[in-house]
Amino acid sequence: MIAPASLPFTETEFALTLALLLVAPLAPAGVALLNTGLGRSRSAAQSLLGSLLLVAAASLVFAVVGATVADGVAGSGHIAIINGKPWNWAGTGSWLLQGLGTAPARGQAAVLFYFVALALAVLIPWGSGADRWRLTAGAASAVLIGALFFPFFAHWTWGGGWLSRLGVNFSLGAGFLDVGGAATVQVLGGLCALAVIWITGSRRGKFPKEGFSTAMPGHNAVYILFGCLVALVGWLAFNMAGALLWLGAAPSALPLTAVNTLLSASGAIAASFTLTRIRFGKPDASLCANGWLAGLVTSSACASLVSPMGAIFTGLVAGIGVPLLVEFLELGVSLDDPSGAISVHAGAGLWGLIAAGLFAPQPGQFVAQLMGIATLLGLMLPLIYFVFMLLNRFVPFRVDADGERIGMDLHELGGGAYPEFVVHRDDSYR
Amino acid sequence: MIAPASLPFTETEFALTLALLLVAPLAPAGVALLNTGLGRSRSAAQSLLGSLLLVAAASLVFAVVGATVADGVAGSGHIAIINGKPWNWAGTGSWLLQGLGTAPARGQAAVLFYFVALALAVLIPWGSGADRWRLTAGAASAVLIGALFFPFFAHWTWGGGWLSRLGVNFSLGAGFLDVGGAATVQVLGGLCALAVIWITGSRRGKFPKEGFSTAMPGHNAVYILFGCLVALVGWLAFNMAGALLWLGAAPSALPLTAVNTLLSASGAIAASFTLTRIRFGKPDASLCANGWLAGLVTSSACASLVSPMGAIFTGLVAGIGVPLLVEFLELGVSLDDPSGAISVHAGAGLWGLIAAGLFAPQPGQFVAQLMGIATLLGLMLPLIYFVFMLLNRFVPFRVDADGERIGMDLHELGGGAYPEFVVHRDDSYR
Amino acid sequence: MIAPASLPFTETEFALTLALLLVAPLAPAGVALLNTGLGRSRSAAQSLLGSLLLVAAASLVFAVVGATVADGVAGSGHIAIINGKPWNWAGTGSWLLQGLGTAPARGQAAVLFYFVALALAVLIPWGSGADRWRLTAGAASAVLIGALFFPFFAHWTWGGGWLSRLGVNFSLGAGFLDVGGAATVQVLGGLCALAVIWITGSRRGKFPKEGFSTAMPGHNAVYILFGCLVALVGWLAFNMAGALLWLGAAPSALPLTAVNTLLSASGAIAASFTLTRIRFGKPDASLCANGWLAGLVTSSACASLVSPMGAIFTGLVAGIGVPLLVEFLELGVSLDDPSGAISVHAGAGLWGLIAAGLFAPQPGQFVAQLMGIATLLGLMLPLIYFVFMLLNRFVPFRVDADGERIGMDLHELGGGAYPEFVVHRDDSYR
């Protein structure tokens, strides 16, 4: 992939990118609503307040230090020479976003893209820690994601770093391709979710000593499904902005990206609907929502690289695979992931990155994709887990047992989300 | 109206159209939320999951076959010569959206417009079948709308088909004008709603053997009214994109379109508020929401063709007519239309198409509008009803009596939308 | 500040402004949802129906007479010569928005901006009158805001009026700067809210004869916090459109505006979270939402004029000041402001206007800002209060005691927002 600043960027392309990046924040907004709906009513206010707080914390720290590392402005970076090849491992942007207003247009738009991407990335683990992950620990994690994990990986893929140079340096296709953030946002966020679940453990009563796991349905299906619709609108814009910025696509390539994004989600929900209907006798609304989102996640890797039929195919696979993966993680390995983020974001994101390698015409692209995936699983996941474990010592992730029983809202905020509505609590998972 | 590909389209106009078409999906998103709010709590998850599913099904089938018929790309088509005049009755686009990425800019944007239009069209009957129309039957209907009804009519009005050529061939103004989809989306969707209501019948207890019809208020006024606000945002963008694409309007004509869209909705809700206040002593929130939406629907025909005062006037008429029509359909002819789609979408759409003919300066435009309306009522409605009746034999539309009593959510999805909230059911319409 | 029509405006800049102004209505939509969430369940339908109605009423009257006064089209105006200096006090636009379609591009975009700004302005007092302000009185107030208060002040700041000419005529910096509507929308709306609270008085039971004030928490934290997210998306677009229109900024200056808007909100919520956590032991969700919004309000004055660190600083101050001001107004001077509009919109708006003067490099800018503030507090507030008092004689603002007890929904609309949900009412404030 080519470094941002080195491509031409017409005034129209710049203006279009800005307009798209203003619609794109509907993606994190939709995901925040969806996360809240998938949690329980006793944690709804904490869930959404946490979403605002995590986005705020990550944005602040990214502005102060993260953007320097990610360096969308200059295109240069810290380079280590290994075996005669340059490995660009960190950016050299200015601190505190100084000089943003006078940077080249493409670099400015890249910074805006980073902020939207980061907002989405920090919301992914937040949904998985629902009903037990403390606000301050969530905010502290968002600080680490915004200062450390996201900036480095974003530099490697988008800011001219070594993953994006695999093509130039090792003839691996166009280098690692992550047009719409399938790796840098979705898989990275999904791996953070995995680490959070490992550290916080399951919700009380989720896996009783005897018998099966307890179903804990989301408390509001309207939030879940309307969140899916809102997310779609943002996703369309985000994938298109990514194509303009990271693929150097012309505006005339963008309707295809948009159509493919829609078709990927459509194929995925059709598959999830059919699959859950066959397996359980009735379709499952939550898993269909997960399927829809998985289709969007897949499109973040593929939408600009495949044909419409390819988009439907990759969506179908995501829509079949994700409900099965959700089931396996819950029943097979007892991971309690309320929002299904590991399956939806990490799982479908990985599938999308592989599919992008399979569909790409350039030789070596598949290997480049595998190298990016290996970096995520082999380097980022251990790093995230280690850093979060360390953080957990100073800012305990998990709420205490009493807090969990009364609910995050009452415990952390002193009041519920729905003070006037009568709620009945299922004693089975009290 | 002139075929898409034949007009010039600057890079800026293309970019603006793309940006508008990314905001436009908020129109179907708002309508989906509004539909859910107008239904009952026991069907809320089914309503919104159905919205996602119907949009997905229609999009998939449109990508595979529908776009070929609609043919926004080439501008040519299947032409029958009758009495020496060419009747362009179907497009000749490529199958499976092949070649989309290399099509002319205007054609590409047209395809994107079709997808948004289609999503809106399939949601209209879905709201009318609330609380009794089965998910799979809804999805099957969406497949037929996306493969058959919508592509043909869209070709006739937007893809260079015979309705758009009434001006060239028979000197009827500029041909049938449907700038923002009042015919192809709103009336078409409203007629589908009528057919669905004819086939599914009324909700249980809606029209008891003795006495008046039972009021079944929507279960969440916030969803209804916030849906109206979200729909407005999408509608502004959709009407402006339509003006650019189908009227060949310059960007400098678009603020007028936007202002007129807002004024039409404003005039309509002011009228509905006043009317219902006078008739019932208190204003009716649902009918005001219907009025607002009716103003938007009217603007889909008129917003680019009238002055601001004309927009207020057409909105006022819609805001008075639609509540009266809702009342007449319920009390006069016992049609059970939970979302009021027949009145709001078909009724206000027809009024808008007529008003566009009245306000247009070209001679013959009024006749052209009447021909479009005659095609909708005389050809499309019987066709839709016949095909849906046929479909009903294979995929029964109506849920069985037990299913209706427990609610669509429990019956079709195995769980409710609000599992933690205490809901009381009015026994009078159990 | 320079009159709109006198600056060049490329086709790309015009198209970008249109695209931004289509996303901007999400700001009023988000505020409407937030207002509803902050009120009580028994008034939720009235709150949102009122939002639609007030926007409609204000839009209609602005189209008929207001735009003439605001005059974004021509840039000229009614001018009084005092001491040899011209004081442009009212616009001379055409009536009924005639000629909008053929006006210069910048003037057309300005009109669109006015409509969005006005929609936001009328929603601000509506939230403060929650649970007691009657629909018709709210609509009548919106008519006055749209016909009188807003058009004059908008003309003075944006339409080439005397406040915008303080630089040219009295060498006060660039004249009064109100790039994103901090004065014309936020402070003006907040002062209307103050007048409404003075006139309607407190909700029943809010300030009992003995003891402290009664806490009346918002009925739905999800609406409050999701409203904050939706508002952010609209705000980003609105601030950027303002920079293009009123500052003559180039598109390349806009990413800074967007980043600053986000950072201002982020700094503010981080501050509100920390402050309320320290003061009350637990963070307060409503006050954090107020803080977030206060950060957005501050950015409406500053986002285009400060550095990213300046944006964080101004946001932090707003996030600390607003919760303290909310507390003071409630406990110190017994003002019952359910949505906190006086603190959030007037308070943070004034702070932003001052900060803009402090950060601006031009000499005299601080004095220009003070003159704008003096006009708001010394001229507009008394005028608004006087006119609203007069209006109150003919259209009583406050609902009667019985109506308040049963709730605005039942009293004004004849039905509740949530007819199927079981609601318990806290007898302490019945």
Side-chain angles (χ1 to χ4, degrees):
Chain A
M1 198 142 57
I2 302 145
S6 62
L7 275 174
F9 208 45
T10 69
E11 200 199 355
T12 303
E13 284 167 356
F14 178 60
L16 178 58
T17 309
L18 291 189
L20 295 175
L21 286 173
L22 278 192
V23 180
L26 289 175
V31 168
L33 188 62
L34 177 123
N35 279 343
T36 301
L38 284 166
R40 281 184 283 180
S41 68
R42 65 181 93 162
S43 307
Q46 191 250 14
S47 166
L48 259 180
L49 179 63
S51 297
L52 289 173
L53 195 69
L54 268 65
V55 168
S59 300
L60 291 171
V61 76
F62 186 78
V64 176
V65 298
T68 313
V69 173
D71 181 29
V73 179
S76 62
H78 290 288
I79 296 174
I81 307 292
I82 302 174
N83 280 346
K85 296 282 188 184
W87 295 75
N88 184 330
W89 59 275
T92 52
S94 58
W95 295 89
L96 312 176
L97 289 177
Q98 282 169 345
L100 174 62
T102 52
R106 188 176 277 268
Q108 287 196 39
V111 169
L112 211 49
F113 187 92
Y114 289 149
F115 274 101
V116 180
L118 178 58
L120 195 44
V122 298
L123 292 180
I124 293 169
W126 183 242
S128 293
D131 295 323
R132 61 202 187 286
W133 196 15
R134 293 171 60 248
L135 266 175
T136 43
S141 304
V143 164
L144 290 171
I145 296 173
L148 195 61
F149 309 137
F150 177 83
F152 275 101
F153 204 82
H155 178 71
W156 300 344
T157 55
W158 295 329
W162 67 273
L163 278 174
S164 72
R165 295 288 177 176
L166 291 176
V168 177
N169 292 328
F170 299 94
S171 305
L172 295 174
F176 181 57
L177 279 177
D178 184 28
V179 184
T184 317
V185 176
Q186 307 298 336
V187 178
L188 194 75
L191 297 180
C192 290
L194 179 58
V196 166
I197 293 171
W198 277 337
I199 293 168
T200 60
S202 311
R203 287 174 287 182
R204 192 169 165 277
K206 177 70 189 175
F207 300 108
K209 282 182 189 153
E210 292 175 24
F212 299 107
S213 76
T214 313
M216 294 182 171
H219 85 285
N220 191 318
V222 173
Y223 298 164
I224 298 171
L225 296 161
F226 186 65
C228 285
L229 280 173
V230 172
L232 167 69
V233 183
W235 230 278
L236 289 164
F238 194 64
N239 280 350
M240 288 164 83
L244 280 164
L245 280 173
W246 315 123
L247 214 55
S252 66
L254 298 185
L256 181 63
T257 301
V259 167
N260 284 349
T261 302
L262 174 64
L263 291 178
S264 184
S266 297
I269 196 173
S272 297
F273 182 87
T274 311
L275 176 80
T276 57
R277 193 157 177 257
I278 292 170
R279 281 182 68 84
F280 311 127
K282 293 176 194 290
D284 183 281
S286 281
L287 289 174
C288 287
N290 279 341
W292 173 274
L293 211 60
L296 292 176
V297 168
T298 305
S299 78
S300 288
C302 302
S304 301
L305 305 171
V306 298
S307 67
M309 291 309 115
I312 294 176
F313 170 74
T314 51
L316 284 172
V317 172
I320 290 169
V322 161
L324 294 175
L325 187 55
V326 165
E327 200 179 323
F328 170 73
L329 292 179
E330 177 162 342
L331 302 182
V333 297
S334 293
L335 279 178
D336 182 16
D337 184 359
S339 70
I342 302 171
S343 312
V344 170
H345 297 277
L350 289 171
W351 158 240
L353 293 169
I354 290 170
L358 293 173
F359 277 89
Q362 312 93 317
Q365 188 61 48
F366 187 68
V367 180
Q369 298 303 96
L370 288 186
M371 292 208 41
I373 291 172
T375 309
L376 283 162
L377 298 180
L379 176 61
M380 297 307 292
L381 177 59
L383 181 71
I384 291 165
Y385 182 60
F386 174 76
V387 173
F388 277 9
M389 279 293 285
L390 215 67
L391 177 65
N392 185 36
R393 294 211 172 187
F394 301 98
V395 191
F397 275 30
R398 180 157 186 141
V399 70
D400 58 39
D402 266 6
E404 191 180 358
R405 194 161 42 235
I406 62 173
M408 302 305 282
D409 283 0
L410 215 55
H411 180 67
E412 293 222 290
L413 304 174
Y418 311 105
E420 300 186 31
F421 291 90
V422 179
V423 169
H424 57 77
R425 294 172 157 209
D426 189 342
D427 277 339
S428 69
Y429 56 88
R430 248 189 146 169
Chain B
M1 194 141 59
I2 302 145
S6 62
L7 275 174
F9 207 46
T10 69
E11 199 199 355
T12 303
E13 284 167 355
F14 178 60
L16 179 57
T17 309
L18 290 190
L20 295 175
L21 286 174
L22 278 193
V23 180
L26 290 174
V31 168
L33 189 62
L34 177 124
N35 279 344
T36 301
L38 285 166
R40 281 184 283 180
S41 69
R42 66 180 94 162
S43 308
Q46 192 249 13
S47 166
L48 260 179
L49 179 63
S51 296
L52 289 173
L53 194 69
L54 269 65
V55 168
S59 301
L60 291 171
V61 76
F62 186 78
V64 176
V65 298
T68 313
V69 173
D71 182 28
V73 179
S76 62
H78 290 288
I79 296 176
I81 306 292
I82 302 174
N83 280 345
K85 295 281 189 185
W87 294 74
N88 184 330
W89 59 274
T92 51
S94 59
W95 295 88
L96 312 176
L97 288 177
Q98 283 169 344
L100 174 62
T102 52
R106 188 175 276 268
Q108 287 196 39
V111 169
L112 211 50
F113 187 91
Y114 290 149
F115 275 101
V116 180
L118 177 59
L120 196 43
V122 298
L123 293 181
I124 294 169
W126 183 242
S128 293
D131 294 325
R132 61 201 188 285
W133 196 15
R134 292 171 61 249
L135 266 176
T136 43
S141 304
V143 165
L144 290 171
I145 296 173
L148 195 62
F149 309 139
F150 176 84
F152 275 102
F153 204 82
H155 178 71
W156 300 345
T157 56
W158 295 328
W162 66 274
L163 277 173
S164 72
R165 295 287 177 176
L166 291 176
V168 177
N169 292 329
F170 299 93
S171 304
L172 295 174
F176 181 57
L177 280 177
D178 184 26
V179 184
T184 317
V185 176
Q186 308 299 337
V187 178
L188 193 74
L191 297 180
C192 290
L194 180 57
V196 166
I197 293 171
W198 276 337
I199 293 169
T200 60
S202 310
R203 286 173 289 182
R204 190 168 167 278
K206 177 69 190 177
F207 300 110
K209 283 180 187 153
E210 290 175 24
F212 298 106
S213 77
T214 312
M216 294 181 172
H219 85 284
N220 191 318
V222 173
Y223 298 165
I224 298 171
L225 295 161
F226 185 65
C228 285
L229 280 173
V230 173
L232 167 68
V233 182
W235 231 278
L236 289 165
F238 195 63
N239 280 348
M240 288 164 83
L244 280 164
L245 280 174
W246 315 123
L247 214 55
S252 66
L254 298 185
L256 181 63
T257 301
V259 167
N260 284 351
T261 302
L262 174 64
L263 291 178
S264 184
S266 297
I269 195 172
S272 297
F273 182 86
T274 310
L275 176 80
T276 57
R277 193 157 176 256
I278 291 170
R279 281 182 68 85
F280 310 127
K282 293 176 195 290
D284 183 282
S286 282
L287 288 174
C288 287
N290 279 341
W292 173 274
L293 212 60
L296 291 175
V297 168
T298 305
S299 78
S300 288
C302 302
S304 301
L305 306 170
V306 298
S307 68
M309 292 308 116
I312 295 176
F313 169 74
T314 51
L316 283 173
V317 173
I320 290 169
V322 161
L324 295 175
L325 188 54
V326 165
E327 201 179 323
F328 169 75
L329 292 179
E330 176 161 344
L331 303 182
V333 296
S334 294
L335 279 178
D336 181 15
D337 184 358
S339 69
I342 303 171
S343 312
V344 170
H345 298 277
L350 290 171
W351 157 239
L353 292 169
I354 291 170
L358 293 172
F359 277 90
Q362 313 94 318
Q365 188 62 49
F366 187 69
V367 180
Q369 298 303 97
L370 288 186
M371 291 207 43
I373 292 172
T375 309
L376 283 162
L377 299 181
L379 176 61
M380 297 307 292
L381 178 58
L383 182 70
I384 291 166
Y385 182 60
F386 175 76
V387 172
F388 277 8
M389 279 293 284
L390 215 65
L391 176 65
N392 185 37
R393 294 209 171 187
F394 301 98
V395 190
F397 275 31
R398 181 158 186 140
V399 70
D400 58 39
D402 266 6
E404 190 180 358
R405 195 163 40 236
I406 61 173
M408 301 306 281
D409 283 359
L410 215 55
H411 180 67
E412 292 222 290
L413 304 175
Y418 312 105
E420 301 187 30
F421 291 91
V422 179
V423 169
H424 55 79
R425 295 174 154 206
D426 189 342
D427 276 340
S428 69
Y429 55 87
R430 248 192 148 168
Chain C
M1 198 142 55
I2 303 145
S6 62
L7 273 175
F9 208 46
T10 68
E11 199 199 356
T12 304
E13 283 167 356
F14 178 60
L16 179 57
T17 309
L18 291 190
L20 296 175
L21 286 173
L22 278 193
V23 179
L26 290 174
V31 168
L33 188 63
L34 178 123
N35 279 344
T36 302
L38 285 166
R40 281 183 283 180
S41 68
R42 65 180 94 162
S43 307
Q46 192 250 13
S47 166
L48 260 180
L49 179 63
S51 297
L52 289 174
L53 194 69
L54 269 66
V55 168
S59 300
L60 290 171
V61 75
F62 186 78
V64 175
V65 298
T68 314
V69 173
D71 182 28
V73 180
S76 62
H78 290 288
I79 295 174
I81 306 292
I82 303 173
N83 281 346
K85 296 282 188 185
W87 294 75
N88 185 330
W89 59 276
T92 51
S94 58
W95 295 89
L96 312 177
L97 289 177
Q98 282 169 344
L100 174 62
T102 53
R106 188 175 276 269
Q108 287 196 40
V111 169
L112 210 51
F113 187 92
Y114 290 149
F115 275 101
V116 180
L118 177 59
L120 195 44
V122 298
L123 293 181
I124 294 169
W126 183 243
S128 293
D131 295 324
R132 61 203 188 283
W133 196 15
R134 292 171 60 250
L135 265 176
T136 44
S141 304
V143 164
L144 290 171
I145 296 173
L148 196 62
F149 309 139
F150 176 84
F152 275 102
F153 204 82
H155 179 72
W156 300 345
T157 55
W158 296 328
W162 66 272
L163 278 173
S164 71
R165 295 287 178 176
L166 291 175
V168 178
N169 291 330
F170 299 94
S171 306
L172 295 174
F176 181 57
L177 280 177
D178 184 26
V179 184
T184 316
V185 175
Q186 308 297 337
V187 178
L188 194 75
L191 297 179
C192 290
L194 180 57
V196 166
I197 292 171
W198 276 337
I199 293 169
T200 59
S202 310
R203 285 173 288 180
R204 190 167 166 277
K206 176 69 189 176
F207 299 109
K209 282 181 187 153
E210 291 175 24
F212 299 106
S213 77
T214 313
M216 295 182 171
H219 85 284
N220 191 318
V222 174
Y223 298 165
I224 298 171
L225 296 161
F226 186 65
C228 285
L229 280 173
V230 173
L232 166 68
V233 183
W235 230 278
L236 289 164
F238 195 64
N239 280 350
M240 287 164 84
L244 280 165
L245 281 173
W246 316 123
L247 214 55
S252 65
L254 297 185
L256 182 62
T257 300
V259 167
N260 284 350
T261 302
L262 173 64
L263 291 178
S264 184
S266 296
I269 195 173
S272 297
F273 182 87
T274 311
L275 176 80
T276 57
R277 192 156 178 257
I278 291 169
R279 282 182 68 85
F280 310 128
K282 293 177 196 288
D284 184 282
S286 281
L287 289 173
C288 287
N290 279 342
W292 172 274
L293 211 61
L296 291 176
V297 168
T298 305
S299 78
S300 288
C302 301
S304 301
L305 306 169
V306 298
S307 68
M309 293 307 116
I312 294 176
F313 169 75
T314 52
L316 282 172
V317 173
I320 290 168
V322 160
L324 294 175
L325 188 55
V326 165
E327 199 179 324
F328 170 75
L329 292 180
E330 176 161 344
L331 302 181
V333 298
S334 293
L335 278 177
D336 181 15
D337 184 358
S339 69
I342 302 171
S343 312
V344 170
H345 297 277
L350 289 171
W351 158 239
L353 293 168
I354 291 171
L358 293 172
F359 276 89
Q362 312 93 318
Q365 188 60 49
F366 187 69
V367 180
Q369 298 302 96
L370 289 185
M371 291 205 47
I373 291 172
T375 309
L376 283 162
L377 298 180
L379 177 60
M380 298 307 292
L381 178 58
L383 182 70
I384 291 165
Y385 182 59
F386 174 76
V387 173
F388 277 7
M389 279 294 284
L390 214 66
L391 176 64
N392 185 36
R393 294 211 171 185
F394 301 97
V395 190
F397 276 30
R398 180 159 186 138
V399 70
D400 59 38
D402 266 5
E404 191 181 358
R405 194 162 40 235
I406 61 172
M408 302 305 281
D409 283 0
L410 215 54
H411 179 67
E412 293 222 290
L413 305 175
Y418 311 104
E420 301 187 29
F421 291 91
V422 179
V423 169
H424 56 78
R425 294 173 154 207
D426 189 342
D427 276 341
S428 69
Y429 54 89
R430 249 190 146 170

